[in-house]
Amino acid sequence: MRTRVLITNDDGIGAPGLHWLARVATDRGLDVVVAAPKSESSGSSAAMNAVEHGGKVIVTEWPLDGVPDAACFAVDASPAFIALLGMHGAFGDPPQVVLSGVNRGANAGRAMLHSGTAGAAFTAAANGAHGMAVSLDVLSAITASAASGGAAVREVTAEDRQKDHRRNWVTAATLALDLLPDLMAGPVETILNVNSPDVARHRLRGVRRSELACFGQVQMTVAEAGTGFVRTALEEPGEVAQPGTDLAHLAQGYATVTTLRALTETDDDLEGLRGWQERSEGAS
């Protein structure tokens, strides 16, 4: 029986990274369904946003070149909401795996908390499917947007689109599918966050298991706060990425893999909480 895979993203149904991920997954013989936001949803994290008409989330069939055998849909919803809809059978049989990407720009460091790409993977893992977020390192502080935590360009221009045709999306997509057996062999609560440099596969220095850097590729700052408004800006972090982190490995030409856990309880023993429990039991 073929593995059922839902492919989504936060860059929108027309993004080249999504197309390449769907193509490679289909070529590997997986049972693929594509459902992605109708428009860009970068920086949406795990938000449950959707456009409804008469109580219905709008879903439009949207065939993609290169994946004629896969059902493909544009959905007026955020990536995490799409993943949740998929888990409930909105696009056919529920998936065993949700692949999210290939994102236009690395989702590295703790800033990935804000990523819609990662939000879809976390939502999948929290609802019984394996999840993987996949990204290609193509952005900088100049081309990023403060509104999305540095995860998207301000506006995709004609020049950007021309450059996108030359990006190495297939490198990230191939790496993701190579890692799929390892993902599925692990616990469903664990997701993989995968980042690849924008190079041909044969030029990768290798793949490194990496920790999250304590900051993202770019950081948001408040440039001005006035009466009735706040103006933000982005800047490069003022510190060098620590060795062993995803940002450090990306800078060295390695693809990175970070294992993360969907929302689960911890065993952290907080003394204050113990006191609350004791007092509540005494009161009863």
Side-chain angles (χ1 to χ4, degrees):
M1 184 176 178
R2 294 191 299 167
T3 300
R4 176 76 165 170
V5 177
L6 169 64
I7 295 179
T8 191
N9 71 351
D10 70 3
D11 291 326
I13 190 69
L18 178 85
H19 293 206
W20 275 108
L21 191 56
R23 288 181 188 181
V24 175
T26 301
D27 290 344
R28 296 287 180 96
L30 300 173
D31 180 15
V32 173
V33 59
V34 178
K38 190 173 182 179
S39 58
E40 185 172 321
S41 296
S42 296
S44 59
S45 189
M48 293 284 118
N49 296 334
V51 176
E52 295 186 355
H53 293 280
K56 299 177 181 178
V57 177
I58 304 304
V59 178
T60 306
E61 290 191 23
W62 202 287
L64 298 182
D65 292 338
V67 283
D69 297 330
C72 302
F73 305 97
V75 187
D76 278 339
S78 61
F81 199 177
I82 291 171
L84 188 62
L85 290 173
M87 294 303 299
H88 287 278
F91 314 114
D93 292 337
Q96 297 160 268
V97 180
V98 172
L99 298 179
S100 185
V102 175
N103 189 65
R104 193 175 188 275
N107 278 305
R110 294 180 184 174
M112 69 160 294
L113 170 68
H114 310 294
S115 162
T117 306
F122 277 120
T123 300
N127 288 275
H130 296 278
M132 186 189 303
V134 191
S135 305
L136 189 69
D137 184 13
V138 302
L139 299 184
S140 68
I142 296 174
T143 55
S145 162
S148 62
V153 292
R154 299 181 187 280
E155 183 178 352
V156 179
T157 65
E159 183 181 358
D160 292 327
R161 291 191 180 93
Q162 287 297 321
K163 290 180 180 179
D164 279 351
H165 288 303
R166 301 189 294 271
R167 302 284 187 195
N168 293 278
W169 306 106
V170 68
T171 300
T174 301
L175 176 60
L177 272 298
D178 288 346
L179 290 166
L180 185 58
D182 297 288
L183 173 68
M184 296 191 67
V188 74
E189 296 87 2
T190 299
I191 76 162
L192 294 185
N193 186 46
V194 179
N195 288 284
S196 174
D198 184 15
V199 298
R201 183 66 188 268
H202 70 274
R203 291 184 56 201
L204 272 182
R205 291 189 64 186
V207 181
R208 289 287 177 91
R209 178 89 176 265
S210 306
E211 300 176 0
L212 290 177
C214 61
F215 48 85
Q217 284 187 306
V218 293
Q219 292 179 320
M220 188 194 77
T221 62
V222 175
E224 183 181 5
T227 303
F229 77 94
V230 174
R231 184 167 60 85
T232 63
L234 289 173
E235 61 183 25
E236 302 280 357
E239 54 187 294
V240 177
Q242 293 180 321
T245 63
D246 46 11
L247 288 179
H249 286 149
L250 279 172
Q252 295 164 358
Y254 294 98
T256 67
V257 182
T258 304
T259 55
L260 300 167
R261 186 62 62 91
L263 290 176
T264 57
E265 297 80 6
T266 73
D267 293 327
D268 295 345
D269 191 12
L270 301 182
E271 184 175 349
L273 292 183
R274 263 201 325 274
W276 273 102
Q277 177 173 311
E278 291 168 357
R279 287 193 293 274
S280 65
E281 290 175 352
S284 60

